[in-house]
Amino acid sequence: MTYLLQVDFKMNGPFGDEMAEAFTDLAKSINEEDGFMWKVWTENPETNEAGGIYMFETKETAEKYLNMHSKRLAGFGVTDLNAKIFAINSKLTAINKGPIN
């Protein structure tokens, strides 16, 4: 069973192309995490929020990543983190063309 990790937090930027440029190396490093499948980066400059939706192979790898990522964000001064892990219902998700394998 695959697991989705939802993370969001307050951030004062950068957003858009500046965010993409600033976090390209970070994005590449995420690909190397155990059990990582994919990530959708999220941002809302109007509310100063950012985060992501991640897919992991197991609950354990999602939890491991969340623990590491929480510490990394704390190093950047982000301490008010909203994070949730959900199991994926693959049968229903496939009906709605969800990007899972």
Coordinates of all heavy atoms in Angstrom, one line a residue:
M1 N 0.8 -1.2 0.0 CA 0.0 0.0 0.0 C 0.9 1.2 0.0 O 1.9 1.3 0.7 CB -0.9 0.0 1.2 CG -1.8 1.2 1.3 SD -3.0 1.1 2.7 CE -4.1 -0.1 2.1
T2 N 0.5 2.2 -0.8 CA 1.3 3.5 -0.8 C 0.7 4.5 0.1 O -0.5 4.4 0.5 CB 1.3 4.1 -2.3 OG1 0.0 4.2 -2.7 CG2 2.1 3.2 -3.2
Y3 N 1.5 5.5 0.5 CA 1.1 6.5 1.5 C 1.4 7.9 1.0 O 2.4 8.2 0.4 CB 1.8 6.3 2.8 CG 1.2 5.1 3.5 CD1 1.5 3.8 3.2 CD2 0.2 5.3 4.5 CE1 1.0 2.7 3.8 CE2 -0.4 4.2 5.2 CZ 0.0 2.9 4.8 OH -0.5 1.8 5.4
L4 N 0.4 8.8 1.2 CA 0.5 10.2 0.9 C 0.9 11.0 2.1 O 0.3 10.8 3.2 CB -0.8 10.7 0.3 CG -0.8 12.1 -0.2 CD1 -1.6 12.1 -1.5 CD2 -1.5 13.0 0.8
L5 N 1.9 11.9 1.9 CA 2.3 12.8 3.0 C 1.9 14.2 2.5 O 2.3 14.6 1.4 CB 3.8 12.7 3.3 CG 4.4 13.8 4.1 CD1 3.8 13.8 5.5 CD2 5.9 13.7 4.2
Q6 N 1.1 14.9 3.3 CA 0.7 16.3 3.0 C 1.3 17.2 4.0 O 1.2 17.0 5.2 CB -0.9 16.4 3.2 CG -1.4 17.7 3.1 CD -2.9 17.7 3.4 OE1 -3.7 16.9 3.0 NE2 -3.3 18.7 4.2
V7 N 2.1 18.2 3.5 CA 2.8 19.1 4.4 C 2.5 20.5 3.9 O 2.6 20.8 2.7 CB 4.3 18.9 4.3 CG1 5.1 19.9 5.1 CG2 4.7 17.4 4.8
D8 N 2.2 21.4 4.8 CA 2.2 22.9 4.5 C 2.6 23.7 5.7 O 2.6 23.2 6.8 CB 0.8 23.3 4.0 CG -0.3 23.0 5.0 OD1 -0.5 23.9 5.9 OD2 -1.0 22.0 4.9
F9 N 3.1 24.9 5.4 CA 3.6 25.8 6.4 C 3.6 27.2 5.9 O 3.5 27.4 4.7 CB 5.0 25.3 6.8 CG 5.9 25.1 5.7 CD1 6.7 26.1 5.1 CD2 6.0 23.8 5.1 CE1 7.5 25.9 4.0 CE2 6.9 23.6 4.0 CZ 7.6 24.6 3.5
K10 N 3.7 28.1 6.8 CA 3.9 29.6 6.5 C 5.3 29.8 5.9 O 6.2 29.3 6.4 CB 3.6 30.5 7.7 CG 2.2 30.5 8.2 CD 1.3 31.2 7.2 CE -0.1 31.4 7.7 NZ -1.0 32.0 6.7
M11 N 5.3 30.6 4.9 CA 6.6 31.0 4.2 C 6.4 32.3 3.6 O 5.4 32.5 2.9 CB 7.0 29.9 3.2 CG 8.4 30.1 2.6 SD 8.9 28.7 1.6 CE 8.4 29.4 0.0
N12 N 7.4 33.2 3.7 CA 7.4 34.5 3.1 C 8.0 34.6 1.7 O 8.4 35.6 1.3 CB 8.0 35.5 4.0 CG 7.2 35.7 5.3 OD1 6.0 35.7 5.3 ND2 7.9 35.9 6.4
G13 N 8.1 33.5 1.1 CA 8.7 33.4 -0.3 C 10.1 32.8 -0.2 O 10.6 32.5 0.9
P14 N 10.7 32.6 -1.3 CA 10.2 33.0 -2.7 C 9.1 32.1 -3.2 O 8.9 31.0 -2.7 CB 11.5 32.9 -3.5 CG 12.3 31.8 -2.9 CD 12.0 32.0 -1.4
F15 N 8.5 32.6 -4.2 CA 7.4 31.8 -4.9 C 7.7 31.8 -6.4 O 8.5 32.6 -6.9 CB 6.0 32.4 -4.6 CG 5.7 32.3 -3.1 CD1 5.7 33.5 -2.3 CD2 5.3 31.1 -2.6 CE1 5.4 33.4 -1.0 CE2 5.0 31.0 -1.2 CZ 5.0 32.2 -0.4
G16 N 6.9 31.0 -7.1 CA 7.0 30.9 -8.6 C 8.4 30.6 -9.1 O 9.0 29.7 -8.6
D17 N 8.8 31.3 -10.1 CA 10.1 31.0 -10.7 C 11.3 31.1 -9.8 O 12.2 30.4 -9.8 CB 10.3 31.9 -12.0 CG 9.4 31.5 -13.1 OD1 8.9 30.4 -13.1 OD2 9.3 32.3 -14.0
E18 N 11.2 32.1 -8.9 CA 12.2 32.3 -7.9 C 12.3 31.2 -6.9 O 13.4 30.7 -6.5 CB 12.0 33.6 -7.1 CG 12.2 34.9 -7.9 CD 11.9 36.1 -7.1 OE1 11.6 36.1 -5.9 OE2 11.8 37.2 -7.7
M19 N 11.2 30.6 -6.6 CA 11.1 29.4 -5.7 C 11.8 28.2 -6.4 O 12.6 27.5 -5.8 CB 9.7 29.1 -5.3 CG 9.6 27.9 -4.4 SD 7.8 27.6 -4.0 CE 7.9 26.3 -2.8
A20 N 11.4 28.1 -7.7 CA 12.0 27.0 -8.5 C 13.5 27.1 -8.6 O 14.2 26.1 -8.4 CB 11.4 26.9 -9.9
E21 N 14.0 28.3 -8.8 CA 15.4 28.4 -8.8 C 16.1 28.2 -7.5 O 17.1 27.5 -7.4 CB 15.7 29.9 -9.3 CG 17.2 30.1 -9.6 CD 17.5 31.4 -10.2 OE1 16.7 31.8 -11.1 OE2 18.4 32.1 -9.8
A22 N 15.5 28.7 -6.4 CA 16.1 28.6 -5.1 C 16.1 27.1 -4.6 O 17.0 26.8 -3.8 CB 15.3 29.5 -4.1
F23 N 15.1 26.3 -5.0 CA 15.0 25.0 -4.4 C 15.2 23.9 -5.4 O 14.9 22.7 -5.1 CB 13.6 24.9 -3.8 CG 13.4 25.8 -2.6 CD1 12.3 26.7 -2.6 CD2 14.2 25.9 -1.5 CE1 12.0 27.5 -1.6 CE2 14.0 26.8 -0.5 CZ 12.9 27.6 -0.5
T24 N 15.9 24.1 -6.5 CA 16.1 23.1 -7.5 C 17.0 22.0 -6.8 O 16.7 20.8 -7.0 CB 16.8 23.6 -8.7 OG1 15.9 24.5 -9.4 CG2 17.2 22.5 -9.7
D25 N 18.1 22.3 -6.1 CA 18.9 21.3 -5.5 C 18.2 20.5 -4.5 O 18.4 19.3 -4.4 CB 20.2 21.9 -4.9 CG 21.2 22.4 -6.0 OD1 21.1 22.0 -7.2 OD2 22.0 23.3 -5.6
L26 N 17.4 21.2 -3.7 CA 16.5 20.5 -2.7 C 15.6 19.5 -3.4 O 15.5 18.3 -3.0 CB 15.7 21.4 -1.9 CG 14.7 20.8 -0.9 CD1 15.4 19.9 0.1 CD2 13.9 21.9 -0.2
A27 N 15.0 19.9 -4.5 CA 14.0 19.0 -5.2 C 14.8 17.8 -5.7 O 14.2 16.7 -5.6 CB 13.4 19.8 -6.4
K28 N 16.0 18.0 -6.2 CA 16.7 16.8 -6.7 C 17.1 15.9 -5.6 O 17.1 14.7 -5.8 CB 18.0 17.3 -7.5 CG 17.7 18.0 -8.8 CD 18.9 18.5 -9.5 CE 18.6 19.2 -10.8 NZ 19.8 19.8 -11.4
S29 N 17.4 16.4 -4.4 CA 17.8 15.6 -3.3 C 16.6 14.7 -2.8 O 16.8 13.6 -2.3 CB 18.4 16.4 -2.2 OG 17.4 17.1 -1.5
I30 N 15.4 15.3 -2.9 CA 14.3 14.5 -2.4 C 14.1 13.2 -3.2 O 13.7 12.2 -2.7 CB 13.0 15.4 -2.5 CG1 13.1 16.5 -1.5 CG2 11.7 14.6 -2.3 CD1 12.0 17.6 -1.7
N31 N 14.5 13.2 -4.5 CA 14.4 12.0 -5.3 C 15.2 10.9 -4.8 O 14.9 9.7 -5.1 CB 14.9 12.3 -6.7 CG 13.9 13.2 -7.5 OD1 12.7 13.2 -7.2 ND2 14.4 13.9 -8.5
E32 N 16.2 11.1 -3.9 CA 17.1 10.1 -3.4 C 16.6 9.5 -2.0 O 17.2 8.6 -1.5 CB 18.5 10.7 -3.2 CG 19.1 11.3 -4.4 CD 19.1 10.4 -5.6 OE1 19.5 9.2 -5.4 OE2 18.8 10.8 -6.7
E33 N 15.5 10.0 -1.5 CA 14.9 9.6 -0.2 C 14.3 8.2 -0.3 O 13.7 7.8 -1.3 CB 13.9 10.5 0.3 CG 14.4 11.9 0.6 CD 15.4 11.9 1.8 OE1 15.4 11.1 2.7 OE2 16.3 12.8 1.7
D34 N 14.5 7.4 0.7 CA 14.0 6.0 0.7 C 12.5 6.0 0.5 O 11.8 6.8 1.2 CB 14.3 5.3 2.1 CG 15.8 5.0 2.3 OD1 16.5 4.9 1.3 OD2 16.2 4.8 3.5
G35 N 12.0 5.2 -0.4 CA 10.6 5.0 -0.6 C 9.9 6.1 -1.3 O 8.7 6.0 -1.5
F36 N 10.6 7.1 -1.7 CA 10.0 8.3 -2.3 C 9.6 7.9 -3.7 O 10.3 7.3 -4.5 CB 11.0 9.5 -2.4 CG 10.5 10.6 -3.2 CD1 9.6 11.5 -2.7 CD2 10.9 10.8 -4.5 CE1 9.1 12.6 -3.4 CE2 10.5 11.9 -5.3 CZ 9.6 12.8 -4.7
M37 N 8.3 8.3 -4.1 CA 7.8 8.1 -5.5 C 7.7 9.4 -6.3 O 8.1 9.4 -7.4 CB 6.5 7.3 -5.4 CG 6.6 6.0 -4.7 SD 5.0 5.2 -4.3 CE 4.4 4.8 -6.0
W38 N 7.0 10.4 -5.7 CA 6.8 11.7 -6.4 C 6.4 12.7 -5.4 O 6.0 12.4 -4.3 CB 5.9 11.6 -7.5 CG 4.5 11.0 -7.3 CD1 4.1 9.8 -7.6 CD2 3.4 11.7 -6.7 NE1 2.7 9.6 -7.2 CE2 2.3 10.8 -6.7 CE3 3.2 13.0 -6.2 CZ2 1.0 11.1 -6.2 CZ3 1.9 13.3 -5.7 CH2 0.9 12.4 -5.7
K39 N 6.5 14.0 -5.9 CA 6.1 15.1 -5.1 C 5.4 16.2 -6.0 O 5.9 16.4 -7.1 CB 7.2 15.8 -4.3 CG 6.8 17.1 -3.6 CD 8.0 17.7 -2.9 CE 7.5 19.0 -2.2 NZ 8.6 19.7 -1.5
V40 N 4.4 16.8 -5.5 CA 3.8 18.0 -6.1 C 4.1 19.1 -5.1 O 3.7 19.1 -4.0 CB 2.2 17.8 -6.3 CG1 1.6 19.1 -6.8 CG2 1.9 16.7 -7.2
W41 N 4.8 20.1 -5.6 CA 5.1 21.3 -4.8 C 3.9 22.3 -4.8 O 3.3 22.5 -5.9 CB 6.3 22.0 -5.4 CG 7.6 21.3 -5.3 CD1 8.0 20.1 -5.9 CD2 8.7 21.6 -4.4 NE1 9.2 19.7 -5.5 CE2 9.7 20.7 -4.6 CE3 8.9 22.7 -3.6 CZ2 10.9 20.7 -3.9 CZ3 10.1 22.8 -2.9 CH2 11.1 21.8 -3.0
T42 N 3.6 22.8 -3.7 CA 2.4 23.7 -3.5 C 2.9 25.1 -3.0 O 3.9 25.1 -2.3 CB 1.4 23.1 -2.6 OG1 1.9 22.9 -1.3 CG2 0.8 21.8 -3.2
E43 N 2.2 26.1 -3.4 CA 2.5 27.4 -2.9 C 1.3 28.3 -3.1 O 0.5 28.2 -4.0 CB 3.7 28.0 -3.7 CG 3.4 28.2 -5.2 CD 4.6 28.7 -6.0 OE1 5.6 28.0 -6.2 OE2 4.6 29.9 -6.3
N44 N 1.2 29.3 -2.2 CA 0.1 30.3 -2.2 C 0.7 31.6 -1.7 O 0.7 31.9 -0.5 CB -1.1 29.9 -1.4 CG -2.2 30.8 -1.6 OD1 -2.1 32.0 -2.0 ND2 -3.4 30.4 -1.3
P45 N 1.2 32.4 -2.6 CA 1.9 33.7 -2.2 C 0.9 34.7 -1.5 O 1.3 35.5 -0.7 CB 2.4 34.3 -3.5 CG 2.0 33.5 -4.6 CD 1.4 32.2 -4.1
E46 N -0.4 34.5 -1.8 CA -1.4 35.4 -1.2 C -1.6 35.2 0.3 O -1.9 36.1 1.0 CB -2.7 35.3 -2.0 CG -2.7 35.7 -3.4 CD -3.9 35.4 -4.2 OE1 -4.9 34.8 -3.6 OE2 -4.0 35.6 -5.4
T47 N -1.4 33.9 0.7 CA -1.5 33.6 2.1 C -0.1 33.2 2.7 O -0.1 32.8 3.9 CB -2.5 32.4 2.3 OG1 -1.9 31.3 1.6 CG2 -3.9 32.7 1.8
N48 N 0.9 33.4 1.9 CA 2.3 33.1 2.4 C 2.4 31.7 2.9 O 2.8 31.4 4.1 CB 2.8 34.1 3.5 CG 3.1 35.4 2.9 OD1 3.6 35.5 1.8 ND2 2.8 36.5 3.6
E49 N 1.9 30.7 2.1 CA 2.0 29.3 2.5 C 2.7 28.5 1.3 O 2.6 28.9 0.2 CB 0.6 28.7 2.6 CG -0.1 29.3 3.8 CD -1.5 28.8 3.9 OE1 -2.4 29.2 3.2 OE2 -1.8 27.9 4.8
A50 N 3.4 27.5 1.8 CA 4.0 26.6 0.8 C 4.0 25.2 1.4 O 3.7 25.0 2.6 CB 5.4 27.0 0.5
G51 N 4.4 24.2 0.6 CA 4.4 22.8 1.0 C 4.5 21.8 -0.1 O 5.0 22.2 -1.2
G52 N 3.9 20.7 0.1 CA 3.9 19.7 -0.9 C 3.0 18.5 -0.6 O 2.7 18.3 0.6
I53 N 2.8 17.7 -1.6 CA 2.1 16.5 -1.5 C 3.0 15.4 -2.0 O 3.5 15.5 -3.2 CB 0.8 16.4 -2.4 CG1 -0.1 17.6 -2.0 CG2 0.1 15.1 -2.2 CD1 -0.7 17.6 -0.7
Y54 N 3.4 14.5 -1.2 CA 4.4 13.4 -1.5 C 3.7 12.1 -1.5 O 2.8 11.8 -0.8 CB 5.4 13.4 -0.4 CG 6.1 14.6 0.0 CD1 5.5 15.6 0.7 CD2 7.5 14.8 -0.4 CE1 6.2 16.8 1.1 CE2 8.2 16.0 0.0 CZ 7.5 16.9 0.7 OH 8.2 18.1 1.1
M55 N 4.3 11.2 -2.3 CA 3.9 9.8 -2.3 C 5.1 8.9 -1.9 O 6.2 9.1 -2.5 CB 3.3 9.4 -3.7 CG 2.8 7.9 -3.7 SD 1.3 7.8 -2.8 CE 0.2 8.7 -3.9
F56 N 4.8 8.0 -1.0 CA 5.9 7.1 -0.5 C 5.4 5.7 -0.6 O 4.2 5.4 -0.6 CB 6.3 7.4 0.9 CG 7.1 8.6 1.1 CD1 6.5 9.9 1.3 CD2 8.5 8.6 1.0 CE1 7.2 11.0 1.4 CE2 9.2 9.7 1.1 CZ 8.6 10.9 1.3
E57 N 6.3 4.7 -0.8 CA 6.0 3.3 -0.9 C 5.4 2.7 0.3 O 4.6 1.8 0.3 CB 7.3 2.5 -1.3 CG 7.8 2.9 -2.7 CD 9.1 2.3 -3.0 OE1 9.7 1.6 -2.1 OE2 9.6 2.4 -4.2
T58 N 5.8 3.2 1.5 CA 5.3 2.6 2.8 C 5.1 3.8 3.8 O 5.6 4.9 3.7 CB 6.4 1.7 3.4 OG1 7.5 2.4 3.8 CG2 6.7 0.5 2.5
K59 N 4.3 3.4 4.8 CA 4.0 4.4 5.9 C 5.4 4.7 6.6 O 5.6 5.9 7.0 CB 3.0 3.8 6.9 CG 2.6 4.8 8.0 CD 1.6 4.2 8.9 CE 1.1 5.2 9.9 NZ 0.1 4.7 10.8
E60 N 6.2 3.7 6.8 CA 7.5 3.9 7.5 C 8.4 4.9 6.7 O 9.0 5.8 7.4 CB 8.2 2.6 7.7 CG 7.5 1.6 8.7 CD 6.2 1.0 8.1 OE1 6.1 0.8 6.8 OE2 5.4 0.6 8.9
T61 N 8.4 4.8 5.4 CA 9.3 5.7 4.7 C 8.7 7.2 4.7 O 9.4 8.1 4.7 CB 9.6 5.3 3.2 OG1 8.3 5.0 2.6 CG2 10.4 4.0 3.2
A62 N 7.4 7.3 4.7 CA 6.7 8.6 4.8 C 7.1 9.2 6.2 O 7.4 10.4 6.3 CB 5.2 8.5 4.6
E63 N 7.0 8.4 7.2 CA 7.3 8.9 8.6 C 8.7 9.3 8.7 O 9.0 10.3 9.3 CB 6.9 7.8 9.6 CG 5.4 7.6 9.7 CD 5.0 6.4 10.6 OE1 5.9 5.5 10.8 OE2 3.9 6.4 11.1
K64 N 9.6 8.5 8.1 CA 11.0 8.8 8.2 C 11.3 10.1 7.5 O 12.1 10.9 8.0 CB 11.8 7.6 7.6 CG 13.3 7.9 7.6 CD 14.0 6.7 6.9 CE 15.5 7.0 6.7 NZ 16.2 5.9 5.9
Y65 N 10.7 10.3 6.3 CA 11.0 11.5 5.6 C 10.4 12.7 6.4 O 11.0 13.8 6.5 CB 10.3 11.5 4.2 CG 10.6 12.8 3.5 CD1 11.8 13.0 2.8 CD2 9.6 13.8 3.5 CE1 12.0 14.2 2.2 CE2 9.9 15.0 2.9 CZ 11.1 15.2 2.2 OH 11.3 16.4 1.6
L66 N 9.2 12.6 6.9 CA 8.6 13.7 7.7 C 9.4 14.1 8.9 O 9.6 15.3 9.1 CB 7.2 13.3 8.1 CG 6.5 14.3 9.0 CD1 6.3 15.7 8.3 CD2 5.1 13.8 9.4
N67 N 10.0 13.1 9.6 CA 10.9 13.4 10.7 C 12.1 14.2 10.2 O 12.4 15.2 10.8 CB 11.3 12.1 11.4 CG 12.2 12.4 12.6 OD1 11.8 13.2 13.4 ND2 13.3 11.7 12.6
M68 N 12.7 13.8 9.2 CA 13.9 14.5 8.7 C 13.5 15.9 8.2 O 14.2 16.8 8.4 CB 14.5 13.6 7.5 CG 15.8 14.3 6.9 SD 15.5 15.5 5.6 CE 14.6 14.6 4.4
H69 N 12.4 15.9 7.4 CA 12.0 17.2 6.8 C 11.6 18.2 7.9 O 11.9 19.4 7.7 CB 10.9 17.0 5.8 CG 10.5 18.1 5.0 ND1 11.4 18.9 4.3 CD2 9.3 18.6 4.6 CE1 10.8 19.8 3.6 NE2 9.5 19.7 3.8
S70 N 10.9 17.8 8.9 CA 10.6 18.6 10.0 C 11.8 19.3 10.7 O 11.8 20.5 11.0 CB 9.8 17.9 11.1 OG 8.6 17.4 10.6
K71 N 12.8 18.5 10.9 CA 14.1 19.0 11.4 C 14.7 20.0 10.5 O 15.2 21.1 10.9 CB 15.0 17.9 11.7 CG 14.6 17.0 12.9 CD 15.5 15.9 13.1 CE 15.0 14.9 14.2 NZ 15.8 13.7 14.3
R72 N 14.7 19.7 9.2 CA 15.3 20.6 8.2 C 14.5 21.9 8.2 O 15.2 23.0 8.2 CB 15.3 20.0 6.8 CG 15.8 20.9 5.7 CD 15.9 20.2 4.3 NE 14.8 19.5 3.9 CZ 14.8 18.4 3.1 NH1 15.9 18.0 2.6 NH2 13.7 17.8 2.8
L73 N 13.2 21.9 8.2 CA 12.4 23.1 8.2 C 12.6 23.9 9.4 O 12.7 25.1 9.4 CB 10.9 22.8 8.0 CG 10.5 22.3 6.6 CD1 9.1 21.8 6.6 CD2 10.7 23.4 5.6
A74 N 12.8 23.2 10.6 CA 13.1 23.9 11.8 C 14.4 24.7 11.7 O 14.5 25.8 12.3 CB 13.1 23.0 13.0
G75 N 15.3 24.2 11.0 CA 16.6 24.8 10.8 C 16.4 26.1 10.0 O 17.3 27.0 10.1
F76 N 15.4 26.2 9.2 CA 15.0 27.4 8.4 C 14.1 28.3 9.2 O 13.6 29.3 8.6 CB 14.4 27.0 7.1 CG 15.3 26.3 6.1 CD1 14.8 25.1 5.5 CD2 16.5 26.7 5.8 CE1 15.6 24.4 4.6 CE2 17.3 26.0 4.9 CZ 16.9 24.9 4.3
G77 N 13.8 27.9 10.4 CA 12.9 28.8 11.2 C 11.4 28.4 11.1 O 10.6 29.1 11.7
V78 N 11.1 27.3 10.4 CA 9.7 26.9 10.2 C 9.4 25.9 11.3 O 9.9 24.8 11.3 CB 9.5 26.3 8.8 CG1 8.0 25.7 8.7 CG2 9.8 27.2 7.7
T79 N 8.5 26.4 12.3 CA 8.2 25.5 13.4 C 6.7 25.1 13.4 O 6.3 24.2 14.1 CB 8.6 26.1 14.7 OG1 8.0 27.4 14.8 CG2 10.1 26.2 14.8
D80 N 5.9 25.9 12.7 CA 4.4 25.7 12.7 C 4.1 24.9 11.4 O 3.6 25.4 10.4 CB 3.7 27.0 12.7 CG 2.2 26.8 13.0 OD1 1.8 25.7 13.4 OD2 1.4 27.7 12.7
L81 N 4.3 23.6 11.5 CA 4.2 22.7 10.3 C 2.9 21.9 10.5 O 2.6 21.4 11.5 CB 5.4 21.7 10.3 CG 5.5 20.8 9.2 CD1 5.9 21.5 7.9 CD2 6.6 19.8 9.5
N82 N 2.1 21.9 9.4 CA 1.0 21.0 9.3 C 1.3 19.8 8.5 O 1.7 20.0 7.3 CB -0.2 21.8 8.7 CG -1.5 21.0 8.6 OD1 -1.8 20.2 9.5 ND2 -2.1 21.1 7.5
A83 N 1.2 18.6 9.0 CA 1.6 17.4 8.3 C 0.7 16.3 8.6 O 0.3 16.1 9.8 CB 3.0 17.0 8.6
K84 N 0.3 15.5 7.6 CA -0.6 14.4 7.7 C -0.2 13.3 6.8 O 0.3 13.6 5.7 CB -2.1 14.8 7.4 CG -2.6 15.8 8.3 CD -4.1 16.2 7.9 CE -4.6 17.2 8.8 NZ -6.0 17.6 8.4
I85 N -0.3 12.1 7.2 CA 0.0 10.9 6.4 C -1.3 10.1 6.2 O -2.1 9.9 7.2 CB 1.0 10.0 7.1 CG1 2.4 10.8 7.1 CG2 1.2 8.7 6.3 CD1 3.5 10.0 7.9
F86 N -1.6 9.8 5.0 CA -2.8 9.0 4.6 C -2.5 7.8 3.8 O -1.6 7.8 2.9 CB -3.7 9.9 3.7 CG -4.2 11.1 4.3 CD1 -3.6 12.3 4.2 CD2 -5.4 11.1 5.1 CE1 -4.0 13.5 4.7 CE2 -5.9 12.3 5.6 CZ -5.2 13.5 5.5
A87 N -3.2 6.7 4.1 CA -3.1 5.5 3.2 C -3.9 5.8 1.9 O -4.8 6.6 2.0 CB -3.7 4.3 3.9
I88 N -3.5 5.3 0.8 CA -4.1 5.5 -0.5 C -5.0 4.4 -0.8 O -4.6 3.2 -0.8 CB -3.0 5.7 -1.6 CG1 -2.1 6.9 -1.3 CG2 -3.7 5.8 -3.0 CD1 -2.8 8.2 -1.2
N89 N -6.3 4.7 -1.2 CA -7.2 3.7 -1.7 C -6.9 3.6 -3.2 O -7.4 4.4 -4.0 CB -8.6 4.0 -1.4 CG -9.6 2.9 -1.9 OD1 -9.5 2.5 -3.0 ND2 -10.4 2.5 -1.0
S90 N -6.1 2.7 -3.6 CA -5.6 2.6 -5.0 C -6.7 2.3 -6.0 O -6.7 2.8 -7.1 CB -4.5 1.6 -5.1 OG -4.9 0.3 -4.7
K91 N -7.7 1.5 -5.6 CA -8.8 1.2 -6.5 C -9.6 2.4 -6.9 O -9.9 2.7 -8.1 CB -9.7 0.1 -6.0 CG -9.0 -1.2 -5.9 CD -9.9 -2.3 -5.3 CE -9.2 -3.6 -5.2 NZ -10.0 -4.7 -4.7
L92 N -10.0 3.2 -5.9 CA -10.8 4.4 -6.2 C -9.9 5.5 -6.9 O -10.4 6.2 -7.8 CB -11.4 5.0 -4.9 CG -12.5 4.1 -4.3 CD1 -12.9 4.7 -3.0 CD2 -13.7 4.1 -5.3
T93 N -8.7 5.6 -6.5 CA -7.7 6.6 -7.1 C -7.5 6.3 -8.5 O -7.5 7.2 -9.3 CB -6.4 6.6 -6.3 OG1 -6.7 6.9 -4.9 CG2 -5.4 7.6 -6.9
A94 N -7.4 5.0 -8.9 CA -7.2 4.6 -10.3 C -8.4 5.0 -11.1 O -8.3 5.5 -12.3 CB -7.0 3.1 -10.4
I95 N -9.6 4.9 -10.6 CA -10.8 5.4 -11.3 C -10.7 6.8 -11.7 O -11.1 7.3 -12.8 CB -12.1 5.1 -10.5 CG1 -12.3 3.6 -10.4 CG2 -13.3 5.8 -11.1 CD1 -13.4 3.2 -9.4
N96 N -10.2 7.6 -10.8 CA -10.0 9.1 -11.0 C -8.7 9.5 -11.5 O -8.3 10.7 -11.4 CB -10.3 9.8 -9.7 CG -11.8 9.6 -9.2 OD1 -12.0 9.0 -8.2 ND2 -12.7 10.0 -10.1
K97 N -7.9 8.6 -12.1 CA -6.7 8.8 -12.8 C -5.6 9.4 -11.9 O -4.7 10.1 -12.4 CB -6.9 9.7 -14.0 CG -8.0 9.2 -15.0 CD -8.2 10.2 -16.1 CE -9.4 9.7 -16.9 NZ -9.8 10.6 -18.0
G98 N -5.6 9.0 -10.6 CA -4.6 9.4 -9.7 C -3.2 8.9 -10.1 O -3.1 7.7 -10.6
P99 N -2.1 9.6 -9.9 CA -0.8 9.2 -10.4 C -0.1 8.2 -9.5 O 0.9 8.5 -8.9 CB 0.0 10.5 -10.5 CG -0.6 11.3 -9.4 CD -2.1 11.0 -9.4
I100 N -0.7 7.1 -9.3 CA -0.1 6.0 -8.5 C 0.1 4.8 -9.3 O -0.6 4.5 -10.3 CB -0.9 5.7 -7.2 CG1 -2.3 5.2 -7.6 CG2 -1.1 6.9 -6.3 CD1 -3.1 4.6 -6.4
N101 N 1.1 4.0 -8.8 CA 1.4 2.8 -9.5 C 1.5 1.6 -8.5 O 1.9 1.8 -7.4 CB 2.8 2.9 -10.3 CG 2.6 3.9 -11.4 OD1 1.6 4.0 -12.1 ND2 3.7 4.5 -11.7

